[in-house]
Structure formats: C-alpha cells, structure tokens
C-alpha cells in the first residue's frame, strides 16, 4: 500500500494525548517523529478503537477524532450496527476510505467489526473459517501487499464466566487462524482482545484474578500461547514497565477519571515485523466510548 513521506520535523507525540469530552480538541496534536530502532521514520499509521456502539459514539462526537488522527487504516470493534445503519456523520468523517463491515448474522445491535482503509486491499475476508465462531461478526481480515491486517473483537467470557469454556475454544481456533496467515505474510492484529495479559495491565489485579472476565488464568494463558507462536505484544515490547496505561474503563464509579482501568486493546505483530515498529500510542483521553483508541506506527518498505 502507498507509504507516507517521513515527517522528520514533526513533534514527538506522547503515549497519552489530550482530548476533550465528546471527541477531540481542535488543538489535539497527533503528529509524531517516531522511528524504528534503525532510524527509519514511520510511514504507516493504523488506528484501532472499540467504539461500544458506533451510533452512540457519533452522538458524543467521537467520530471527530478520525480525521484529526488521519490514519491510513482504522479498525473498529463492537460497532453494534450494519453497514446500512452507519450514521451519516461517520460516513462523512471517513470519506475517501474503503469500508468493510461485519455484523452478527442473528443478533442485531451486538458485537460487530469494521475495517476502513485509504488503500483498497487486495482481498477482504470475514470470520476465521470456523462456523461456530463466525456468526457474531468478530473478525475482518484485509490482505495488503506486505502484510495481513486483522481486526478482532474477541468474545468476552461473560458475567459469572459463563462463556469461559467457549472463550477457550475461540482462542485455540483464532491462534490457528493467525498462524495460517503468518505462513503466507506477516500479520498485524488489532482490536479488543478482552484480556489483560499481566498484572501490570490492569489497576486491580488481585481483586479481579479468576473472578472477572479478561483476567482468568485460562484467558491469560491463551494470549501467552498466541505470543509463543511467533507474535509480539507491540506495546509491551516498547514499554515493558510502563504502568497505569489502560485502554478500557468501566462507566461505573468514576473509573476513567480515577484511571482505574484495563489494557484490553492491542496491536499484536508477527515477529518479523518488529524491525518496522516505530511506536504504539494509547490515546487515553479521546472520548466517545468506554475504550480509547490505540495507534500503531510502522516503517514499511525498504
């Protein structure tokens, strides 16, 4: 896909960027001069955001973030709408993008994913090719010249962990799917993976361990298994000891204002893409959802 020119004189962007309630401030600065370890400037920007219902995000003016961020690819999770229900305000905000939407076959207003790209993909597929996992609109894969872009909204284990066994079968099938892709081209996986991998990835690990969806031994081990198959959690590769860096906050108890959160949203990369990694940014103060956007900067090409 076409690469941007290096922005050598741009200001370095912090991992957390200021934004106002209901979207972003007109003064928000999403520029970056991030480079790879070898000194190459980024030329590809990918954003990912669990919008917790796209129509609700638009009502909060969250869509105003997208043209300010200006990503080459934007992936959305938990859209809770079909392509026919997309608000006109959002359509205007992503004018010029090629859009791909995946919704549940039966449950309306539930789950759902979207992938929008300035460059038309070579091919787009929906689901992971396993019938029991492909009826909730959870995975979109776009093939580009140099990589596969996969966005996923991984199933939550549910209140009382009632879907924990199903989550286990999902994790196994999804890992197998990603391994199959990785044999052909490197993979960029993004989305709400519904797991806080380590204790550093949530505010209150002790009170949530094996009690709350997203922080059971089984879910954490499932993510470890994925990484062991030749993938990297790009944020922790860059910031292994960074604390209080979350992407999700409950609406209850003023959790976001207190920064009592979880890091549930990830960019996971094939090992061989690590030399192209420039930065992984958490836009923690961009409003419009109970999750915030995350952004990946890569230096693709020679």
């Amino acid at each position: 896909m076409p690469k941007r020119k290096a922005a050598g004189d741009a200001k370095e962007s912090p991992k957390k960027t200021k934004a106002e309630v209901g979207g972003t401030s007109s003064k928000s600065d999403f520029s970056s001069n991030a480079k790879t370890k070898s000194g190459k400037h980024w030329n590809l920007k990918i954003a990912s955001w669990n919008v917790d219902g796209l129509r609700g995000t638009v009502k909060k003016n969250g869509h105003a973030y997208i043209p300010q961020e200006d990503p080459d690819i934007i992936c959305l999770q938990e859209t809770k709408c079909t392509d026919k229900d997309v608000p006109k305000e959002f359509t205007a905000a992503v004018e010029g993008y090629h859009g791909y939407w995946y919704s549940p076959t039966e449950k309306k207003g539930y789950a759902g994913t979207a992938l929008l790209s300035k460059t038309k993909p070579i091919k787009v597929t929906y689901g992971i090719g396993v019938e029991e996992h492909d009826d909730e609109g959870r995975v979109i894969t776009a093939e580009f010249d140099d990589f596969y872009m996969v966005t996923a909204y991984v199933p939550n284990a549910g209140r009382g962990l009632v879907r924990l066994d199903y989550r286990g079968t999902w994790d196994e099938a999804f890992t197998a799917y990603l391994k199959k892709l990785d044999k052909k081209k490197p993979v960029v996986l993004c989305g709400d993976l519904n797991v806080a991998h380590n204790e550093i990835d949530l505010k209150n690990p002790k009170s949530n361990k094996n009690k709350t969806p997203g922080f059971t031994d089984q879910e954490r081990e499932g993510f470890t298994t994925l990484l062991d198959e030749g993938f990297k959690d790009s944020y922790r590769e860059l910031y292994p000891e960074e604390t209080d860096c979350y992407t999700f906050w409950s609406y209850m108890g003023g959790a976001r204002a207190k920064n009592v959160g979880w890091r549930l949203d990830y960019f996971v990369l094939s090992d061989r893409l690590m030399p192209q990694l420039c930065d992984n940014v958490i836009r923690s103060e961009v409003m419009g959802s109970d999750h915030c956007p995350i952004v990946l900067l890569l230096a693709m090409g020679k």
Side-chain angles (χ1 to χ4, degrees):
M1 60 191 303
K3 312 302 188 301
R4 301 191 191 203
K5 294 181 179 179
D9 296 327
K11 296 179 180 178
E12 187 72 37
S13 175
K15 293 185 288 299
K16 299 181 180 181
T17 302
K18 180 68 179 177
E20 295 179 344
V21 175
T24 59
S25 166
S26 60
K27 297 180 181 180
S28 297
D29 181 8
F30 295 135
S31 62
S32 173
N33 67 354
K35 303 175 184 179
T36 65
K37 290 183 177 180
S38 65
K40 294 181 181 178
H41 287 275
W42 70 271
N43 56 19
L44 179 65
K45 177 189 282 192
I46 305 171
S48 177
W49 193 7
N50 178 323
V51 292
D52 188 30
L54 182 60
R55 287 167 289 191
T57 295
V58 168
K59 288 180 180 179
K60 299 172 186 175
N61 198 40
H63 60 289
Y65 156 75
I66 297 174
Q68 291 189 49
E69 183 70 72
D70 189 29
D72 298 291
I73 301 171
I74 176 121
C75 298
L76 306 177
Q77 304 86 42
E78 206 171 358
T79 53
K80 298 182 181 179
C81 68
T82 69
D83 57 346
K84 297 179 181 178
D85 301 320
V86 176
K88 62 182 180 180
E89 297 91 342
F90 181 83
T91 300
V94 295
E95 184 179 1
Y97 285 79
H98 302 273
Y100 306 92
W101 300 79
Y102 189 29
S103 303
T105 54
E106 295 183 2
K107 297 180 181 179
K108 292 185 177 181
Y110 175 76
T113 47
L115 188 153
L116 303 103
S117 174
K118 290 182 178 180
T119 299
K120 188 175 182 179
I122 297 170
K123 182 180 180 181
V124 175
T125 57
Y126 302 88
I128 62 174
V130 179
E131 186 176 355
E132 68 173 305
H133 300 311
D134 287 346
D135 62 351
E136 295 182 346
R138 293 189 177 274
V139 178
I140 301 176
T141 302
E143 180 183 357
F144 294 99
D145 291 338
D146 301 327
F147 64 98
Y148 285 105
M149 180 78 239
V150 180
T151 185
Y153 176 41
V154 171
N156 189 294
R159 184 175 297 178
L161 305 178
V162 295
R163 295 192 88 190
L164 185 58
D165 288 344
Y166 172 72
R167 170 63 182 268
T169 62
W170 161 277
D171 284 347
E172 291 179 7
F174 190 45
T175 296
Y177 173 72
L178 295 173
K179 286 175 61 179
K180 186 177 179 180
L181 291 179
D182 188 52
K183 290 179 179 179
K184 301 175 184 177
K185 292 181 181 181
V187 173
V188 176
L189 164 65
C190 74
D192 177 0
L193 304 189
N194 259 319
V195 62
H197 189 210
N198 293 307
E199 291 191 357
I200 195 174
D201 296 316
L202 73 164
K203 188 68 173 181
N204 297 312
K206 291 183 179 180
S207 61
N208 286 290
K209 186 176 181 180
N210 290 322
K211 298 177 182 178
T212 307
F215 201 60
T216 64
D217 291 342
Q218 179 175 314
E219 292 163 304
R220 297 168 66 194
E221 289 167 4
F223 191 65
T224 297
T225 297
L226 170 62
L227 298 183
D228 287 346
E229 293 292 347
F231 298 92
K232 291 288 191 296
D233 172 359
S234 62
Y235 188 81
R236 284 298 171 210
E237 289 296 312
L238 292 166
Y239 308 107
E241 299 180 1
E242 196 78 19
T243 61
D244 299 321
C245 294
Y246 308 126
T247 64
F248 164 81
W249 305 261
S250 169
Y251 284 125
M252 300 175 63
R256 191 157 189 169
K258 300 172 184 176
N259 198 27
V260 178
W262 299 57
R263 190 172 71 95
L264 300 178
D265 303 84
Y266 296 77
F267 279 104
V268 174
L269 308 181
S270 293
D271 284 350
R272 59 191 186 278
L273 281 177
M274 291 308 296
Q276 280 71 53
L277 176 62
C278 297
D279 205 356
N280 183 327
V281 186
I282 297 175
R283 303 292 193 206
S284 60
E285 297 186 26
V286 173
M287 302 296 177
S289 170
D290 52 359
H291 292 249
C292 73
I294 57 173
V295 175
L296 181 73
L297 300 176
L298 296 174
M300 300 300 290
K302 296 180 180 180

